[in-house]
């Protein structure tokens, strides 16, 4: 494989797998892809433990880290914010709406206590501390979503000779990232799970490649709805250097998702993956549920709060929902959800992460051979 991504990351197959689960990251890298650990949920001390585990289980293969430092957030510029200080900003109306919604499904909303000094979600300073921890390990990539990485992040990458990647959802975003000095662009179409824009992958990838070509040679990874090696080959035929994937790993045995959610993924169609602000306060694609319907279209909905306040609400709510569903509350299943892309309609079973990597490789080769055969006719 001659993709520049393979040379940059030291891999044999340019398939990158974003996951919050260390088991998935290690399994994908061992199988010849490149696992990327979503580190935003961790504190520095817990991330150290996760990375030590990956080092011990990845067989010396490369892997990377993804953090989340939003450019546009309601608390931008404020210092020393904590979960507890933000909790005080959540209105009683929003609290009552959440509690009453869960009560309709016989779910008791349980709030988890947090330390007085626990930082707010998506705290930029903590994210940089997480990167400090990460550079004590043999990581080969750092990535950021929801905006241009701060200058300090790019400088850290340069210092440690580690490429910096950034997720983008439009041509305009791509141009800003290139100007800022990122090394890899992840062109994420609206099909993707989690925070995403409104432009489809099929349109976004060639548009971004065309826009940045006169400026600087930056490899572009295609993302959004990619669940097979055939799709990966199609994106690379458009000029992508590889694929960045996420949702496909949620249906693996190693994934952090619950068995109930994996069952819902198998039963879902592509139309069941909708964009909603109900989980984080920003449009994020996730599996449609009673929760998303209530926040987006419910007649009594107070409307989602801006990021990060909506995350304060949804964290306790979804922990309560998952516990209730696991305990046998059949009604709770209607609220079970998670971030997932429109490619969910292609998921028909739960497999190991290593098996998924192998299927990607086989499908990719099949697609290339098919195109070669067409050229010869």
């Amino acid at each position: 494989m001659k993709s520049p991504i393979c040379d940059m990351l030291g891999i044999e197959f340019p398939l990158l797998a974003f996951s919050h689960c260390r088991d998935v990251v290690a399994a994908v890298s061992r199988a010849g892809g490149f696992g990327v650990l979503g580190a935003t949920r961790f504190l520095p001390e817990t991330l150290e433990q996760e990375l030590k585990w990956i080092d011990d289980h990845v067989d010396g293969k490369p892997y990377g880290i993804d953090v989340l430092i939003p450019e546009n957030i309601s608390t931008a510029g404020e210092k020393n914010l904590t979960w507890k200080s933000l909790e005080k900003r959540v209105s009683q109306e929003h609290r009552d709406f959440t509690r009453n919604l869960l009560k309709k499904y016989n779910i008791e909303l349980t709030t988890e206590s947090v330390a007085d000094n626990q930082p707010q979600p998506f705290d930029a300073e903590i994210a940089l501390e997480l990167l400090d921890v990460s550079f004590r390990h043999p990581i080969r990539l750092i990535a950021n979503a929801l905006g241009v990485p701060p200058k300090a992040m790019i400088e850290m990458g340069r210092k440690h000779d580690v490429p910096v990647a950034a997720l983008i959802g439009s041509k305009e975003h791509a141009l800003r990232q290139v100007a800022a000095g990122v090394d890899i662009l992840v062109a994420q179409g609206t099909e993707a799970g989690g925070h995403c824009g409104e432009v489809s992958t099929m349109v976004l990838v060639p548009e971004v490649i065309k826009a940045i070509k006169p400026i600087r040679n930056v490899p572009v990874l295609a993302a959004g709805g990619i669940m097979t090696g055939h799709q990966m080959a199609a994106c690379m035929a458009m000029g992508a250097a590889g694929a960045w994937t996420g949702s496909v790993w949620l249906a693996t045995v190693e994934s952090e998702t619950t068995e109930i959610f994996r069952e819902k993924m198998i039963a879902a169609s592509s139309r069941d993956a909708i964009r909603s602000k109900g989980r984080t306060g920003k449009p994020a694609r996730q599996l449609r549920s009673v929760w998303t319907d209530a926040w987006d279209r419910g007649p009594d909905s107070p409307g989602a709060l801006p990021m990060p306040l909506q995350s304060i609400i949804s964290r306790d709510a979804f922990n309560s929902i998952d516990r209730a569903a696991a305990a046998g509350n059949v009604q709770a299943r209607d609220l079970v959800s998670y971030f997932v892309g429109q490619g969910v309609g292609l998921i028909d079973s739960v497999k190991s992460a290593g098996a998924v990597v192998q299927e990607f490789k086989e499908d990719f080769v099949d697609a290339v051979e098919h195109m070669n055969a067409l050229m010869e006719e």
Side-chain angles (χ1 to χ4, degrees):
M1 179 67 70
K2 297 181 179 179
S3 168
I5 289 295
C6 293
D7 292 335
M8 291 177 74
L9 304 181
I11 55 178
E12 63 183 59
F13 188 58
L15 173 65
L16 281 73
F18 169 84
S19 176
H20 292 291
C21 179
R22 66 187 188 183
D23 300 78
V24 171
V25 170
V28 170
S29 288
R30 285 198 307 268
F34 187 89
V36 182
L37 181 68
T40 300
R41 300 179 179 181
F42 299 111
L43 292 174
E45 55 270 22
T46 54
L47 180 61
E48 173 63 35
Q49 297 170 8
E50 296 292 294
L51 297 184
K52 178 62 169 61
W53 186 94
I54 293 175
D55 292 343
D56 292 341
H57 291 81
V58 80
D59 293 347
K61 297 298 181 69
Y63 67 93
I65 292 293
D66 179 284
V67 295
L68 192 61
I69 309 177
E71 274 191 293
N72 299 312
I73 190 169
S74 64
T75 54
E78 298 186 53
K79 301 292 184 181
N80 302 317
L81 290 175
T82 64
W83 269 90
K84 287 198 170 183
S85 65
L86 288 179
E87 284 177 342
K88 296 176 182 178
R89 302 185 186 184
V90 178
S91 73
Q92 191 61 45
E93 179 185 17
H94 285 81
R95 294 181 185 278
D96 290 343
F97 179 78
T98 302
R99 189 175 298 277
N100 291 336
L101 173 60
L102 269 59
K103 188 176 181 180
K104 291 178 183 177
Y105 292 83
N106 295 318
I107 302 170
E108 180 182 356
L109 178 61
T110 304
T111 57
E112 296 185 15
S113 60
V114 296
D116 290 340
N117 62 344
Q118 181 171 327
Q120 67 153 323
F122 316 118
D123 184 279
E125 293 183 7
I126 294 297
L128 294 177
E129 289 182 29
L130 294 176
L131 291 175
D132 277 330
V133 170
S134 301
F135 284 121
R136 301 173 198 158
H137 299 264
I139 61 168
R140 294 292 297 273
L141 175 76
I142 56 176
N144 180 59
L146 293 182
V148 176
K151 184 179 180 181
M153 180 175 175
I154 295 177
E155 290 176 347
M156 291 170 83
R158 297 284 183 274
K159 177 182 177 181
H160 295 276
D161 195 27
V162 171
V164 180
L167 279 72
I168 54 97
S170 72
K171 176 183 70 175
E172 291 75 19
H173 294 162
L175 293 173
R176 292 185 61 223
Q177 299 283 10
V178 170
V182 301
D183 303 297
I184 299 170
L185 291 175
V186 180
Q188 179 178 272
T190 191
E191 299 94 325
H195 298 107
C196 60
E198 300 176 289
V199 183
S200 72
T201 305
M202 181 66 75
V203 172
L204 181 64
V205 171
E207 185 178 30
V208 166
I209 292 171
K210 180 180 179 181
I212 66 172
K213 186 175 181 179
I215 305 172
R216 184 160 58 89
N217 185 23
V218 179
V220 175
L221 294 172
I226 301 172
M227 314 293 280
T228 71
H230 292 102
Q231 292 171 291
M232 178 179 174
C235 289
M236 293 182 72
M238 293 190 295
W244 174 286
T245 55
S247 297
V248 68
W249 312 106
L250 298 176
T252 60
V253 294
E254 296 93 342
S255 171
E256 77 278 14
T257 56
T258 65
E259 182 178 350
I260 291 173
F261 181 72
R262 289 196 288 268
E263 291 174 357
K264 294 185 73 169
M265 288 179 68
I266 292 171
S269 72
S270 57
R271 290 186 177 183
D272 292 319
I274 54 97
R275 291 172 82 233
S276 170
K277 293 183 179 180
R279 188 113 181 193
T280 70
K282 285 183 177 290
R285 195 170 295 284
Q286 55 207 273
L287 198 65
R288 182 179 179 181
S289 69
V290 168
W291 175 272
T292 58
D293 286 349
W295 282 98
D296 296 341
R297 291 181 288 276
D300 301 323
S301 171
L305 291 167
M307 178 185 276
L309 299 182
Q310 189 68 16
S311 296
I312 299 286
I313 293 175
S314 62
R315 184 198 65 161
D316 287 337
F318 276 95
N319 285 340
S320 301
I321 291 166
D322 289 341
R323 281 194 296 268
N329 181 338
V330 177
Q331 289 180 297
R333 295 174 67 98
D334 292 337
L335 285 101
V336 170
S337 183
Y338 199 64
F339 304 109
V340 70
Q342 291 180 319
V344 68
L346 294 171
I347 293 175
D348 58 9
S349 63
V350 176
K351 306 169 185 175
S352 71
V356 173
V357 174
Q358 185 59 34
E359 286 187 4
F360 260 85
K361 292 179 179 180
E362 292 171 357
D363 287 350
F364 184 90
V365 170
D366 180 68
V368 172
E369 291 177 346
H370 176 69
M371 289 302 297
N372 287 338
L374 289 177
M375 294 292 291
E376 293 173 358
E377 291 181 359

